[in-house]
Amino acid sequence: MFRVRNPQKALRTIALVRYSLAALFLLLALLREEKLLFLGLALPVFLVARTGYCPSSAGRIAP
């Protein structure tokens, strides 16, 4: 496990990266032919960002 000075700031940054990745997949779905592929990738990324799931701790990140 990594140690950080400000855990809340680190969790917000991780959530921002996850939401940004979901937004990127949605943008690619608008611009590319493979719409179902990118929409299918955007959905789980968005759900992971929304729920705060963290596989390294095998559970939910407490906000």
Side-chain angles (χ1 to χ4, degrees):
M1 192 57 131
F2 294 103
R3 293 181 188 218
V4 294
R5 291 183 186 162
N6 188 347
Q8 289 300 98
K9 187 176 180 181
L11 293 177
R12 283 194 306 263
T13 304
I14 291 169
L16 179 66
V17 168
R18 289 176 174 175
Y19 281 120
S20 299
L21 187 59
L24 174 66
F25 285 140
L26 290 175
L27 180 65
L28 287 172
L30 289 173
L31 300 176
R32 303 288 306 240
E33 289 183 21
E34 302 88 358
K35 295 191 183 317
L36 286 178
L37 171 68
F38 289 117
L39 288 174
L41 290 171
L43 180 64
V45 172
F46 177 75
L47 292 175
V48 166
R50 188 77 183 125
T51 60
Y53 178 71
C54 181
S56 65
S57 66
R60 182 184 160 96
I61 298 174

